[in-house]
Amino acid sequence: MTQDAQQQAPQQEVDVVVVGAGFAGLHALHELRGRGLSVRVLEAGHGVGGTWYWNRYPGARCDVESTDYQFSFSEDLVREWRWSERYPRQEELLRYLDHVADRFDLRRDISLGRRVVSAVLEEEDVTWTVATEQGERWRARWLIMATGCLSVPRLPMVPGLEDFRGDWYHTASWPADGVDFTGERVAVVGTGSSGIQSIPLIAEQAAGLLVLQRTANYSVPAFDHELGEEELERLQQDFAARREFTRSSALGLAAPADPRSALAVSEEERRTQYETRWRMGGLPMIGAFADLMVDRAANETAAAFFRDKIRAKVDDPETAEKLLPRGYPWGAKRVCVDSGYYETFNRSDVTLIDLNEQPLRRITPRGVLVGETEHEVDAIVFATGFDAMTGALMAIDIRGRDGRSLRQAWSAGPKTYLGLAVAGFPGLFTVTGPGSPSVLSNMVVSIEQHVEWIADAISWSRERGTEVFEATQEAQEAWVEHVNAVADSTLFTEANSWYLGANVPGKPRVFMPYAGGVGAYRQKCDEVAAAGYEGFRAVPAPGAERRRADRSAPVVA
Ligand code: NAP
């Protein structure tokens, strides 16, 4: 639809427009509706679920344990939902989110198949007009961007894809009815979390698999298992205490981080600690010692442990050497969690190609050209990641004060106050935005904290009749400075990771998430609220009083 046609489309009015119906959007709708606000959720997908709606590739599952990766806002919901495995599969997460949408009667306020293309502030009235590609316009005082951090898939800039005669897929926009690779020769490009999860399953099905690796990653085994009745019962009983713990933890995970330095213990003790954490399976490895992400020598002890593990798992020493991560600190790229990834390279029908030795030059009609060799394949899977954290926001033409776009405001990298708000964009909130712990944390814990904080802020503002809320430039600059200072004190900035936007050509190199920890961040947000939303200013909105008087539902603080 053209921009002119969008401007002509009839307008509907609500208190809040939420963009996205994943964990964040569903929770925002439930929370705000409960406070008497009218809400419209606009979702591009044809179902709810966000990341769990789109990422249907083989082996897709969350690397946070199911019991910690669920909503806590309803004790009944926690009691009712029976997780079947320690790490939830995509199908189960999607079923869970569908259940949440039904259980809390959320669907009546969600419009599916609506891609938001613009959100324009009408300064006089301090309201947002949100337009969809499908031709609707919604007006709202508040705009909540629950667009996800990993929701804009990226294809590599390799020529020739349009000539490829086989089928190709991206892990993050996988066909809903699945793909059968039986009898096919398949190439997978990319060895991040999505590649590492899908490669073992694709290898099992395909007639032959080529893995095209540019950067080897560190991966820890999941040690996944089905949850028996007794274990599930115990997890459910412990849920409240676990969640309380995660809220003040560094990463939003239930496994306590060890406060010791990796360098303060004997080699034997260190080895025992790594071995213990390794056997716990999954992300608790990150908390093995306190200084792994701030001290290069400490970090190297973890890296060496991983290298030994990889060598022990892979039969062919040459292949094992290629699989060893090099040139960046352990953990500075997202640590992956796998089930049988390294072991897959012991299969005779799986070949690892190191693109550092020979580059991927082009896609040909019959396959992939690596160096001078053409490898014929029937299908290509791109597990090549996302335009992370800012991609979904930048894809929308968001215009704030003086018609200034978010793209302009963030041209040198994203700038937010607390990862929640942007100066010059009154009434707009981002959930798990850049400048918040976000992708460095258990997303559900961070989403709940953001949604509840935003809902409190909206209630607070409405109670005062001011209606709109805007981050000040000074508060934003101070926060950005703090986020950068914390990042600079870590090893995160030493890898070419998507955390820094390094995977997207031309994207400003800025470390986007806040590395100060979930607990410290929550405390800061709470202090800001307790001080009357310090760093924000209330913007008088014409018509606010009238609208308040018109509302029948009460406003609950
Ligand atoms: P990713 O971590 O960005 O990995 C993309 C992979 O594609 C990297 O190996 C990258 O190599 C490679 N690549 C990109 N462009 C390439 C090119 N032109 N030629 C060759 N290789 C290329 O993406 P992802 O695996 O989808 O994961 C993204 C994030 O999503 C994860 O870090 C995680 O936060 C989340 N995720 C979580 C789960 C889970 O919960 N288990 C599962 C999947 C994803 P370089 O490293 O050299 O750029």
Side-chain angles (χ1 to χ4, degrees):
M1 185 174 239
T2 64
Q3 219 169 7
D4 277 354
Q6 269 158 19
Q7 275 159 14
Q8 309 298 319
Q11 269 190 141
Q12 305 175 71
E13 192 162 332
V14 283
D15 293 319
V16 190
V17 164
V18 176
V19 186
F23 264 100
L26 294 178
H27 187 29
L29 168 55
H30 179 259
E31 185 69 30
L32 293 166
R33 194 202 265 171
R35 295 176 188 230
L37 286 104
S38 58
V39 185
R40 173 59 39 178
V41 178
L42 301 170
E43 164 60 54
H46 291 278
V48 302
T51 202
W52 303 109
Y53 173 85
W54 298 103
N55 285 265
R56 296 165 189 247
Y57 60 84
R61 70 171 76 223
C62 185
D63 55 12
V64 174
E65 292 181 51
S66 45
T67 192
D68 299 321
Y69 197 79
Q70 64 179 332
F71 286 125
S72 69
F73 65 75
S74 159
E75 283 179 21
D76 289 345
L77 176 65
V78 172
R79 239 190 335 270
E80 284 160 17
W81 189 263
R82 314 289 291 172
W83 293 103
S84 66
E85 286 174 277
R86 179 185 182 198
Y87 290 105
R89 286 170 199 264
Q90 173 270 332
E91 308 91 272
E92 189 167 15
L93 280 162
L94 193 55
R95 260 192 290 119
Y96 172 73
L97 291 168
D98 270 320
H99 171 72
V100 169
D102 293 330
R103 167 88 173 63
F104 298 97
D105 187 24
L106 301 180
R107 293 190 197 272
R108 64 186 156 89
D109 290 326
I110 302 174
S111 300
L112 298 172
R114 306 297 201 285
R115 183 167 292 281
V116 171
V117 287
S118 67
V120 177
L121 177 74
E122 283 161 43
E123 234 173 303
E124 214 175 90
D125 204 18
V126 204
T127 47
W128 289 91
T129 300
V130 181
T132 70
E133 201 173 74
Q134 289 68 27
E136 287 135 342
R137 286 197 306 157
W138 290 87
R139 260 168 73 88
R141 248 307 114 81
W142 304 95
L143 174 59
I144 299 181
M145 303 306 290
T147 39
C149 295
L150 297 157
S151 49
V152 178
R154 275 205 70 249
L155 279 175
M157 294 164 88
V158 182
L161 186 55
E162 61 287 356
D163 302 327
F164 182 56
R165 290 200 207 110
D167 297 314
W168 64 268
Y169 310 92
H170 192 289
T171 45
S173 46
W174 203 258
D177 41 5
V179 180
D180 185 0
F181 291 115
T182 307
E184 296 196 348
R185 298 159 302 171
V186 182
V188 175
V189 185
T191 51
S193 296
S194 305
I196 280 178
Q197 284 189 335
S198 58
I199 283 165
L201 281 122
I202 297 174
E204 272 175 26
Q205 209 178 46
L209 178 64
L210 276 184
V211 176
L212 276 61
Q213 171 192 275
R214 190 166 66 182
T215 307
N217 252 307
Y218 293 95
S219 186
V220 63
F223 293 120
D224 198 13
H225 60 259
E226 284 182 15
L227 295 173
E229 275 306 307
E230 216 173 285
E231 186 177 7
L232 187 59
E233 205 50 51
R234 184 174 48 73
L235 285 169
Q236 284 192 327
Q237 272 172 19
D238 291 350
F239 174 74
R242 258 174 100 104
R243 181 52 61 95
E244 198 46 43
F245 177 83
T246 61
R247 288 189 181 119
S248 55
S249 67
L251 303 168
L253 300 175
D258 195 304
R260 293 174 300 167
S261 158
L263 304 176
V265 298
S266 69
E267 198 175 329
E268 196 190 336
E269 225 175 314
R270 197 160 54 225
R271 180 99 206 162
T272 307
Q273 168 75 338
Y274 284 139
E275 209 43 77
T276 308
R277 292 269 167 168
W278 178 271
R279 288 187 187 289
M280 286 164 84
L283 296 176
M285 190 63 164
I286 299 174
F289 289 105
D291 52 355
L292 294 181
M293 289 315 299
V294 292
D295 184 307
R296 195 67 201 241
N299 185 283
E300 177 49 30
T301 64
F305 175 84
F306 268 75
R307 286 196 294 268
D308 288 350
K309 285 289 185 193
I310 296 168
R311 287 193 183 104
K313 278 169 183 257
V314 181
D315 298 342
D316 173 35
E318 222 176 281
T319 306
E321 281 308 300
K322 287 182 190 168
L323 287 165
L324 301 184
R326 293 176 204 283
Y328 66 96
W330 175 86
K333 278 177 177 252
R334 174 72 139 70
V335 172
C336 304
V337 177
D338 73 278
S339 298
Y341 174 64
Y342 294 111
E343 294 82 347
T344 300
F345 294 94
N346 295 333
R347 296 176 65 115
S348 58
D349 54 1
V350 174
T351 308
L352 177 66
I353 295 183
D354 182 351
L355 297 177
N356 295 302
E357 290 170 3
Q358 294 179 318
L360 171 59
R361 292 181 43 198
R362 66 175 298 121
I363 311 292
T364 68
R366 287 178 306 208
V368 289
L369 183 65
V370 179
E372 298 304 317
T373 311
E374 185 183 33
H375 301 267
E376 289 189 20
V377 292
D378 305 301
I380 304 173
V381 173
F382 292 100
T384 44
F386 303 86
D387 183 353
M389 299 204 73
T390 54
L393 294 167
M394 298 305 226
I396 300 171
D397 186 15
I398 301 174
R399 292 187 179 265
R401 287 198 185 283
D402 305 320
R404 190 157 189 255
S405 71
L406 192 66
R407 290 174 193 148
Q408 285 170 303
W410 286 6
S411 58
K415 290 186 172 176
T416 69
Y417 181 38
L418 302 173
L420 278 160
V422 187
F425 296 80
L428 178 144
F429 288 110
T430 50
V431 182
T432 63
S436 72
S438 186
V439 291
L440 293 182
S441 69
N442 171 354
M443 289 302 270
V444 177
V445 168
S446 288
I447 283 169
E448 285 196 334
Q449 185 252 332
H450 264 193
V451 165
E452 285 152 27
W453 192 95
I454 291 167
D456 285 347
I458 293 178
S459 296
W460 186 90
S461 179
R462 278 161 49 102
E463 279 194 333
R464 278 149 191 82
T466 40
E467 293 268 353
V468 193
F469 216 63
E470 182 180 2
T472 66
Q473 198 72 43
E474 302 73 50
Q476 177 168 288
E477 267 161 35
W479 182 249
V480 170
E481 207 173 297
H482 173 61
V483 170
N484 290 340
V486 173
D488 289 343
S489 71
T490 72
L491 302 175
F492 280 114
T493 50
E494 294 185 24
N496 288 322
S497 69
W498 57 257
Y499 294 140
L500 280 149
N503 62 330
V504 180
K507 191 165 174 172
R509 194 181 165 94
V510 172
F511 188 76
M512 294 181 283
Y514 175 55
V518 166
Y521 172 78
R522 172 185 291 271
Q523 195 182 333
K524 168 72 182 171
C525 291
D526 288 349
E527 284 166 9
V528 164
Y533 293 94
E534 192 178 30
F536 287 90
R537 65 191 187 95
V539 183
E545 284 306 328
R546 177 176 49 77
R547 242 184 301 273
R548 275 172 58 76
D550 285 350
R551 274 191 201 104
S552 48
V555 178
V556 183

